[in-house]
Amino acid sequence: MDRTTQGWIAGLIGVVIFSASLPATRVAVLDFDPVFLTVARAAIAGLLAIALLRGFGAARPARADLPSLAIVALGVVVGFPLLTALALKHVTAAHSIVFIGLLPLATAIFAVLRGGERPRPAFWLFSSLGSALVVGFALAQGVAASPVGDLLMLAAVLVCGLGYAEGARLSRRLGGWQVISWALVLSLPAMALLSIITMPQTFIGIGVPAWIGLAYVSLFSMLIGFFFWYRGLAAGGIATVGQLQLLQPFFGFALAAGLLGEPVTTAMLTVTVAVIACVAGARRYAG
């Protein structure tokens, strides 16, 4: 099996893991404050990362790698989790999942800016059309009804795309699991302190689903998923493998409907199918 195929397989596993992130976050913020959820998940994952790095004897990153690790931390350790947790106070998980359709374009843009990749012009045509469909869907649903939620999701997509591209670029040298682990360790002092400051006065009344949601986003969304995702992006190409994110809404819709009982409208499914068709065209011209 060649390196590119391995990258696509690893990327797909990462997407499947990430697909449950928004539904799990939606469940968790019903009982946990969004800020506490964000810092707690990062702190828990950071402690696990320390154990992994020590257990496998991973070499410390070079001083020159620290700015890139800081970008990864700000993008995927803090930025995306916090912004999505805040957004899910205003919109449903099913609605927020549609915005994931913007992630391939955001990731591809930062693949050019930070990763040095150069997709062909047709790639941008297809990717832009797919993104326009997603934004059009949000407008059609009535942004006035929840402008805060939609704007937070757009901001989350932007910082996440930067974190994905920067982490993938660094993974080519350090390795995927080492990048996310060191980013978590770099964030750990601040995240641990904030976890203590924002901790609820009592955990009485916190339901089991919320605890399960916290456990999932801490272990899988914040750590394990990135092992596969960064490896996939580094091996198969940031812009190209990044297109796999368009499969995420399908998995996410199913989870939102099956686990949370949220309605999945025909419009949501139609837009998702249309966007995936556009990204399929973009992938053809990515290289």
Side-chain angles (χ1 to χ4, degrees), residues 26 92-98 137 141 252-254 256-258 260-266 268-269:
R26 174 67 172 174
T92 65
H95 180 79
S96 67
I97 287 166
V98 178
F137 170 81
Q141 297 301 301
F253 285 152
L260 306 181
E262 294 183 356
V264 176
T265 65
T266 301
M268 289 179 182
L269 295 176

Side-chain angles (χ1 to χ4, degrees), residues 2-159:
D2 60 37
R3 178 177 172 81
T4 301
T5 301
Q6 292 177 358
W8 278 91
I9 293 174
L12 181 60
I13 294 173
V15 166
V16 172
I17 292 173
F18 291 150
S19 296
S21 297
L22 290 177
T25 300
R26 174 67 172 174
V27 171
V29 296
L30 293 177
D31 291 336
F32 287 117
D33 177 79
V35 175
F36 171 74
L37 177 66
T38 299
V39 296
R41 67 187 275 183
I44 294 170
L47 293 173
L48 294 173
I50 289 177
L52 285 172
L53 291 168
R54 287 184 174 178
F56 287 96
R60 291 187 177 185
R63 185 182 297 272
D65 294 328
L66 294 180
S68 291
L69 286 172
I71 292 174
V72 173
L74 290 173
V76 302
V77 176
V78 180
F80 185 76
L82 176 59
L83 291 168
T84 52
L86 292 171
L88 288 167
K89 283 288 190 178
H90 303 276
V91 298
T92 65
H95 180 79
S96 67
I97 287 166
V98 178
F99 283 84
I100 300 302
L102 291 170
L103 263 177
L105 179 59
T107 304
I109 290 173
F110 287 113
V112 171
L113 297 176
R114 299 296 302 171
E117 297 187 3
R118 294 292 183 268
R120 285 178 278 178
F123 169 89
W124 299 110
L125 175 63
F126 282 108
S127 292
S128 297
L129 180 57
S131 298
L133 286 169
V134 174
V135 173
F137 170 81
L139 293 172
Q141 297 301 301
V143 173
S146 183
V148 174
D150 287 341
L151 288 174
L152 285 168
M153 282 304 304
L154 287 173
V157 165
L158 185 63
V159 299

